[in-house]
């Protein structure tokens, strides 16, 4: 044990996080009270040290990235949530809906670039018929047969099912039959009802979000999980959200990864809020690793936090930096100033500089290439 590590362990054993640290060392599950204590602590380096230990135990020194592309097929949305800068009213000069031909062109370009994942999310557009979604997946599957298709978050799946008058399970089955591989984790926001009512009153509630994911898991469709933080929520709200995900993961094992999403307030009804700080971003990632002991992968979404802070996050419990992305629109409409594309070479340099092993993966975390 290095002198620095020994010093940190000693300091932790004497400080406010001594009891939490003892449970982490012993490999014990943390409680709700432990989670709140961690969020209220100012000992960022101590929290990072514990998260890095948990990361090492869970997945070693491998750090994943993926060669992927995003398609946002429509920004027309009937919900127009206060937290969102992406959704537009039908008829707005900024509203758009991609035709199947336009989606085919984007998917074809992504396939030509060798992507292994096409990530598709959009607004709740009342003009789109049920067949549009099936044809969208069929089109992408036809022109990019080797790519995994991760499409439609739980809010979209619920909306598609409601519009079609079909059970969620039937919709998921039919989407899977035409090529869907996985669901993204968007729309979770924060599960606390009162906060959710103020942020996105017209969106499905947290229990409904969990039900859609549980249904997908029961059908053998893996999904991701998210939490939007840095707006109106308290430490207890964050912990309760994480524990709800942990409880579902205990029952189904269907979550692939957890991705904390930092709220970008620009161009939303909450533009008066300051946004998150780097300390908050690192703390949320680290505490997520510690509370979500049944999630193998904790992802730093570099498109929201920037590639340099995402690299630092590799020492705060993170083992995935997401992907090359290409043309992300949702967070950039809300003020994200990061690039919309990061080449694979940039991931290799960033991960190696952090002392870790870059591993290119597909959506299902199957290894494509290890850069030892």
């Amino acid at each position: 044990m290095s002198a620095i590590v020994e010093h940190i362990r000693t300091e932790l054993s004497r400080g406010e996080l001594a009891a939490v640290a003892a449970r982490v060392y012993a490999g014990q599950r943390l409680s709700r009270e432990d989670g709140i204590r961690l969020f209220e602590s100012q000992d960022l380096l101590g929290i990072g040290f514990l998260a890095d230990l948990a990361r090492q135990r869970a997945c070693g020194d491998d750090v994943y990235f993926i060669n992927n592309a995003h398609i946002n097929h429509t920004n027309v949305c009937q919900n127009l949530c206060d937290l969102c800068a992406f959704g537009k009213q039908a008829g707005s000069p900024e509203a758009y809906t991609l035709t199947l031909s336009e989606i085919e062109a984007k998917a074809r370009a992504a396939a030509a670039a060798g992507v292994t994942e096409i990530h598709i999310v959009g607004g709740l557009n009342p003009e789109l018929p049920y067949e549009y979604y099936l044809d969208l997946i069929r089109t992408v599957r036809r022109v990019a047969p080797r790519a995994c298709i991760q499409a439609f978050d739980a809010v979209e799946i619920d909306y598609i099912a409601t519009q079609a008058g079909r059970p969620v399970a039937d919709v998921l089955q039919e989407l899977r039959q035409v090529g869907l591989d996985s669901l993204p984790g968007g729309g979770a926001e924060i599960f606390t009802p009162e906060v959710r009512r103020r942020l996105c009153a017209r969106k499905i509630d947290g229990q409904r979000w969990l039900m859609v994911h549980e249904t997908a898991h029961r059908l053998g469709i893996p999904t991701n999980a998210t939490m939007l933080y840095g707006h109106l929520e308290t430490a207890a709200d964050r912990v309760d959200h994480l524990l709800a995900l942990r409880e579902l993961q205990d029952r189904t094992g269907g979550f692939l990864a957890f991705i904390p999403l930092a709220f970008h307030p620009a161009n939303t009804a909450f533009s008066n809020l300051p946004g998150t700080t780097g300390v908050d971003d690192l703390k949320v990632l680290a505490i997520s690793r510690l509370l979500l002991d049944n999630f193998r992968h904790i992802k730093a979404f570099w498109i929201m936090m920037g590639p340099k802070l995402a690299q630092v996050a590799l020492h705060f419990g993170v083992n995935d930096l997401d992907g090359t992305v290409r043309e992300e629109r949702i967070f950039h409409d809300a003020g994200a100033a990061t690039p919309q594309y990061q080449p694979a070479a940039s991931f290799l340099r960033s991960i190696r500089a952090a002392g870790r092993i870059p591993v290119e993966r597909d959506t299902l975390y199957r290894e494509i290439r290890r850069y030892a």
Side-chain angles (χ1 to χ4, degrees), residues 341-356:
Y341 169 63
Q342 185 172 184
S346 177
F347 286 102
L348 300 185
R349 179 169 175 265
S350 178
I351 294 167
R352 283 171 169 155
R356 302 289 165 75

Side-chain angles (χ1 to χ4, degrees), residues 27 29 71 185 271 325 345:
R29 174 163 279 190
I71 297 176
S271 58
V325 176

Side-chain angles (χ1 to χ4, degrees), residues 8-9 11-28 30 34 37-38 46 49-50 53 57 290:
I8 295 174
R9 288 186 73 115
E11 290 300 309
L12 274 169
S13 68
R14 294 171 177 166
E16 59 179 342
L17 297 178
V20 177
R23 279 188 274 282
V24 174
Y25 297 151
Q28 297 173 353
L30 300 185
D34 291 332
R37 187 171 295 114
L38 284 165
F49 174 80
L50 295 174
L53 176 63
R57 287 173 176 169
L290 291 168

Side-chain angles (χ1 to χ4, degrees), residues 46-83:
I47 294 169
F49 174 80
L50 295 174
D52 201 46
L53 176 63
R55 184 272 312 161
Q56 174 68 34
R57 287 173 176 169
C59 49
D61 287 337
D62 291 350
V63 174
Y64 295 93
F65 70 97
I66 188 169
N67 185 5
N68 64 350
H70 285 212
I71 297 176
N72 301 126
H73 55 284
T74 181
N75 66 351
V76 175
C77 188
Q78 71 167 23
N79 275 6
L80 298 176
C81 297
D82 286 345
L83 61 76

Side-chain angles (χ1 to χ4, degrees), residues 71-74 86 119-123 150-153 156 184 330:
I71 297 176
N72 301 126
H73 55 284
T74 181
F86 174 72
H119 180 106
I120 305 166
V121 292
Q150 185 173 72
F152 310 135
D153 65 30
E156 293 177 272
I330 294 175

Side-chain angles (χ1 to χ4, degrees), residues 234-289:
T234 65
D237 294 330
R238 292 177 180 181
V239 172
D240 289 341
H241 186 102
L242 293 171
L243 295 188
L245 295 174
R246 188 172 78 180
E247 191 275 333
L248 179 55
Q249 182 76 329
D250 275 346
R251 288 191 283 115
T252 68
F255 286 122
L256 293 165
F258 174 70
I259 311 111
L261 301 175
F263 180 54
H264 282 238
N267 304 318
T268 76
F270 300 98
S271 58
N272 59 308
L273 296 179
T276 64
T277 66
V279 168
D280 204 26
D281 293 335
L282 292 175
K283 185 186 284 188
V284 170
L285 286 161
I287 296 171
S288 300
R289 168 63 74 186

